[in-house]
Amino acid sequence: MSRLAEILLLLAAVTAIALALSSCSSPPAPQPEPAPAPIIPPAPPPAPAPEPDPKPKRPLLRPRVDGVVADDDTEGLLRRRPRPVPQPEPGPVPPGPPAPGPNRSGKITIGGPVGPDGKTEVVCDLPVDQRIKNIGSKVDGAGMCVASSVEMALRWQGLDQMRGFRDWCAKQPGGSYPTKTDRQIKEFCRAKGIEVPNYMQFEGSDPALIEAAMKSGRFVACTYGGSDGVRYRGRISHMTNCVCYGPLVAILDCNAIGENELLWMPTAEFLARWKSGGSGWLFVWLAPGPSPPPTN
C-alpha cells in the first residue's frame, strides 16, 4: 500500500471518531420560561358631571345687628362693617352718672354767666329770650346746630334783617359745613332781597381769631367735640357759641340755652374739643357787637 493511501485511511478514521463523539454528547440544559407580564386593571371610567340644579339656592341674607350689616362667616365669627345711616345731631345726655372720660378731674362744669372761679364773666351775654334752641330739619330730622348758632350770633350783633335764617334753613336737609353755610346765607339773602352781610369762616388749629373776635365783642360760632362728662359722654359733631375766651372759656350750647346752662372749662379743654375732628371751624359776623355796658 502506498504512503498516500495510508494517510487517507488515517484521516477517514479520525473523522469517523469525531462524528461518533459528537453524537454521544449531553443535550443542552433547558432554558427557564420567562415570567408572565403583570396584569394591569383598566382605569375606571370618569364619573359623570352632576346635572345642574334647575332651582338654584338663594344666597343667605346677611343679618343686621344694631344698624350694622354682618357678613356671613363659616367659622361663626361676625365681621361687621358700618351701614351708612343718617345720624342726627346729639341732644343732651339723659340723666345718669357721668361716664369716665377726659373730664374725670371735674374741670368742665355747668354754670351761669360767672365762671366757677367766681370772677370771670361772659363777654357776650345774649339774653335768654334771644337764644334759640336746636331743632331738627323738617326734611330729614337732622340737627340744625350750625344755623342755630349762626343766628344767635347775628342777633347779638344787631343783624335783624337776617332773623329767621335758622328756620329758613330747616326747610332743607339738616347738618352743615362751611361751603353749605356760604350757599345758604347767599340764597337766604337773595330770597329776602337784602345784601349779604360781611362774615368770615376759618378752618384750622390757630385760636387767635377766636381770641380777637372775643376781644372785639363779637359772637363766635365754633365746633365742639363733646366728651365732657357733664353733658356729652362721647364724641359728637356739634356747633356752639363761644361767649368767653381766656383762662376760662364759656360755651353757649344751642341744646341747652338756659341762664345757668353754660359750659365752663379751661382753655386747653376747650381747644381739645374745638379741634376734636382734626381741625376747628369757626364762623364770625364782621358787624360790630353792641357797645359794652358802662363801668364805674
Side-chain angles (χ1 to χ4, degrees), residues 60-71:
L60 294 176
L61 295 178
R62 294 175 296 174
R64 296 178 179 177
V65 183
D66 295 335
V68 174
V69 178
D71 291 330

Side-chain angles (χ1 to χ4, degrees), residues 48-251:
E51 296 183 1
D53 189 352
K55 295 181 180 180
K57 296 180 180 179
R58 297 176 59 187
L60 294 176
L61 295 178
R62 294 175 296 174
R64 296 178 179 177
V65 183
D66 295 335
V68 174
V69 178
D71 291 330
D72 296 327
D73 190 324
T74 56
E75 297 180 2
L77 301 177
L78 287 179
R79 298 186 302 270
R80 307 200 301 174
R81 65 171 180 264
R83 181 187 181 202
V85 293
Q87 297 294 330
E89 293 181 3
V93 174
N103 191 36
R104 289 181 181 179
S105 62
K107 293 181 179 179
I108 302 177
T109 58
I110 295 177
V114 179
D117 61 355
K119 57 183 180 181
T120 303
E121 298 182 3
V122 298
V123 175
C124 303
D125 191 10
L126 185 68
V128 175
D129 62 359
Q130 294 301 309
R131 303 176 187 182
I132 55 176
K133 193 172 181 64
N134 192 14
I135 62 173
S137 161
K138 293 179 173 60
V139 176
D140 59 7
M144 303 297 301
C145 62
V146 174
S148 298
S149 300
V150 167
E151 173 144 353
M152 284 195 282
L154 68 86
R155 291 184 177 194
W156 172 258
Q157 289 169 237
L159 297 172
D160 293 336
Q161 73 275 22
M162 294 289 294
R163 283 178 177 264
F165 173 72
R166 194 277 306 276
D167 292 342
W168 181 89
C169 291
K171 299 175 183 178
Q172 302 178 19
S176 196
Y177 41 87
T179 54
K180 180 179 179 180
T181 300
D182 281 333
R183 174 179 59 79
Q184 289 181 321
I185 290 174
K186 293 174 183 178
E187 290 177 355
F188 175 80
C189 292
R190 188 183 306 117
K192 293 195 66 174
I194 59 177
E195 293 185 2
V196 177
N198 293 327
Y199 67 90
M200 65 164 292
Q201 299 194 76
F202 171 77
E203 291 180 275
S205 58
D206 187 354
L209 288 175
I210 302 177
E211 184 175 10
M214 287 281 94
K215 286 183 177 179
S216 67
R218 290 177 170 86
F219 212 83
V220 177
C222 56
T223 47
Y224 181 74
S227 295
D228 50 36
V230 294
R231 181 167 294 156
Y232 302 107
R233 294 179 180 176
R235 179 177 168 182
I236 59 173
S237 296
H238 192 36
M239 198 74 160
T240 60
N241 292 104
C242 181
V243 294
C244 179
Y245 188 88
L248 288 176
V249 174
I251 294 297

